Amino acid sequence: MRVLHTADWHLGQHFLTGQERLTEQRAFLTWLLGAVQTHGVDALVVAGDVFDTTTPSHAAQELYYNFLVQMQGTNCHDIVVVGGNHDSPTLLNASRQLLRRLRIHVVGGVPADPAEQVVALAETSGRPALVVCAVPFLRDRDIRLAVAGETPDERQLRVRQSIAAHYGALAAGDAVRRLREQDVPVLATGHLYAAGGEAREGAERDVHIGGLGSVGAPDFPAAFDYVALGHLHRPQVVGGQAHIRYSGSPVPLSFTEADDRQQVLLLDFKGAGAPTITALPVPVVRRLQRFHGTLEEVEANILAYDNAAFELVAWADIQVRSDESQAEVQRRVQAVLKERAAHVQAPRGARHQRATEAPDVATAAAGPLVFLHDLTVDEVFGRRVAGLPPGRAAALTATFGELRQLLAEADPQAWGGEEG
């Protein structure tokens, strides 16, 4: 069986000053339809974060459902979708009974019956060809209860053990064990942070409170021939194990991801055992470009920037070091941007940092100027506790994460876009 692994679409993401990324995401899904057909994909696996928030726009939902409809015109006979930390389990699951009739298997959150996470995919002849342990993002309520007086280290260990136990129980289940004995390969999904994985600054928020919940490659049972992961946006292998992988996000979601490889992974299974893995590069239609430096350097680099390789105009992150006034910096930057408007735009303008810092210690330690709207809620909280002893900071961060998760569940409209 030939399977395609992808994750972290973040449909409906709003970027910079509110631009929605639907044009780029639509281009990816159009390309993905073609890739599925060209490469004869039998099953598509989406490992979480279909949407960017728990309350996606109608346009983002329409893009998702239109894609699923268009997939019916390909030779791909099964689609497996699991929820990520940005997704609403309720929203994803709302259509699951209907979608199941189209052989689209949705597991938005951990179901009451664990057996519903085990999906057997069959060949056209009806013979089982792949077992998928469709594990979505595991929220705290799914894997543990809080323990009074628990230290951060104890909490981390318990979360890790609970995640490993969840996967272990699925691997040891009768259905999985019986089919694997019949030479049927087993694929598991996950949306989590795996130890050793590289998270991008400002791009991927910790998916368990206080940065907890990381698991390692040994925590995944040996019965899994492939583990399709989501959450980290840079494609990578976990713990040196080639069969445990993040596919990465197919669209760069922040400037820190601009130079990552955008890809999906093609898996060829021939009975039980690790598949042959091929990375398929995803074409990028919009460049996220950084211009950082002195005013003269930024002006020269903008004027020299060539966007001919990309379909859409580039979006720029501009940071200028200059002792000129803010007004003069903005005037000069806007002048070169106007000249290159067909190639590059800067929706939030230029950030300004004085080239000559004031001599006082507080100013010298402040570093580059950062605007509040550029920071996530978690980043603001992190700055507030940065000066505390590590143990105290970790405990407060854990408590803050719990409160945020409870608020997100109680009022998704208010907190859905920031849920970690």
Side-chain angles (χ1 to χ4, degrees):
M1 175 171 278
R2 175 165 280 187
V3 179
L4 194 149
H5 165 205
T6 179
D8 295 288
W9 294 356
H10 288 268
L11 300 181
Q13 183 206 27
H14 283 81
F15 193 65
L16 299 175
T17 55
Q19 287 80 2
E20 202 165 23
R21 310 292 297 281
L22 290 177
T23 301
E24 297 147 85
Q25 291 163 342
R26 185 177 294 107
F28 159 65
L29 293 178
T30 299
W31 173 87
L32 183 59
L33 283 165
V36 165
Q37 195 74 330
T38 298
H39 295 280
V41 171
D42 299 304
L44 173 69
V45 173
V46 185
D49 280 356
V50 175
F51 297 108
D52 191 57
T53 78
T54 57
T55 55
S57 67
H58 293 300
Q61 294 182 57
E62 183 179 21
L63 186 59
Y64 169 63
Y65 287 110
N66 280 347
F67 170 78
L68 295 181
V69 169
Q70 291 174 305
M71 281 290 290
Q72 302 308 302
T74 71
N75 294 324
C76 179
H77 50 70
D78 284 283
I79 301 173
V80 179
V81 179
V82 300
N85 60 301
H86 282 250
D87 293 313
S88 161
T90 302
L91 181 117
L92 284 183
N93 284 340
S95 57
R96 65 179 302 193
Q97 297 297 335
L98 174 62
L99 293 177
R100 187 177 296 168
R101 305 291 293 182
L102 301 175
R103 296 183 67 168
I104 301 170
H105 315 275
V106 179
V107 182
V110 175
D113 181 1
E116 293 183 21
Q117 292 174 89
V118 179
V119 182
L121 308 184
E123 298 174 339
T124 53
S125 64
R127 177 184 178 276
L130 180 71
V131 181
V132 178
C133 293
V135 181
F137 169 61
L138 299 174
R139 288 171 166 79
D140 282 359
R141 64 175 179 267
D142 299 321
I143 55 174
R144 71 172 182 88
L145 297 174
V147 175
E150 193 175 43
T151 68
D153 287 344
E154 291 170 338
R155 186 175 304 182
Q156 180 168 1
L157 178 60
R158 249 164 48 87
V159 170
R160 178 173 180 167
Q161 291 173 338
S162 297
I163 293 173
H166 186 95
Y167 280 100
L170 289 175
D174 289 341
V176 173
R177 189 161 35 83
R178 184 178 66 255
L179 287 170
R180 198 166 194 278
E181 288 172 354
Q182 299 173 23
D183 199 37
V184 177
V186 181
L187 179 151
T189 67
H191 194 91
L192 44 75
Y193 176 78
E198 180 183 343
R200 290 302 195 200
E201 176 188 356
E204 303 123 346
R205 285 167 246 158
D206 292 332
V207 296
H208 279 286
I209 57 173
L212 307 180
S214 67
V215 298
D219 294 312
F220 295 105
F224 296 157
D225 298 301
Y226 184 83
V227 182
L229 296 178
H231 178 58
L232 298 187
H233 297 167
R234 187 181 70 82
Q236 53 196 293
V237 170
V238 174
Q241 301 297 309
H243 71 293
I244 306 176
R245 295 198 180 208
Y246 289 95
S247 63
S249 173
V251 173
L253 298 170
S254 73
F255 287 102
T256 60
E257 299 174 24
D259 294 322
D260 289 345
R261 303 184 314 276
Q262 270 60 56
Q263 64 174 42
V264 297
L265 296 170
L266 203 61
L267 319 173
D268 284 298
F269 290 94
K270 295 181 180 178
T276 300
I277 304 169
T278 305
L280 300 181
V282 177
V284 176
V285 296
R286 188 191 304 279
R287 171 71 179 171
L288 303 182
Q289 182 69 30
R290 278 177 159 170
F291 296 103
H292 291 188
T294 66
L295 181 54
E296 291 73 19
E297 289 170 340
V298 167
E299 287 177 312
N301 289 336
I302 292 175
L303 289 171
Y305 177 72
D306 184 1
N307 197 56
F310 301 93
E311 180 181 333
L312 302 175
V313 63
W315 282 344
D317 172 59
I318 301 175
Q319 182 171 301
V320 177
R321 297 192 311 273
S322 174
D323 285 331
E324 297 282 359
S325 68
Q326 174 77 4
E328 177 62 12
V329 168
Q330 294 294 346
R331 184 192 68 78
R332 288 176 57 175
V333 169
Q334 289 303 319
V336 293
L337 285 172
K338 184 177 181 180
E339 186 173 340
R340 301 291 291 168
H343 293 264
V344 59
Q345 296 174 5
R348 65 180 176 188
R351 290 174 290 163
H352 182 203
Q353 174 194 359
R354 287 287 180 185
T356 305
E357 296 288 349
D360 64 280
V361 175
T363 304
L369 180 64
V370 177
F371 294 99
L372 184 62
H373 68 261
D374 292 328
L375 300 174
T376 67
V377 171
D378 290 327
E379 289 167 341
V380 173
F381 188 84
R383 286 170 178 248
R384 293 295 298 168
V385 300
L388 297 177
R392 177 63 173 161
L396 286 173
T397 302
T399 301
F400 178 69
E402 284 188 359
L403 291 172
R404 290 205 53 220
Q405 185 164 318
L406 290 172
L407 287 169
E409 293 169 359
D411 189 359
Q413 184 66 40
W415 290 88
E418 293 289 343
E419 183 183 1

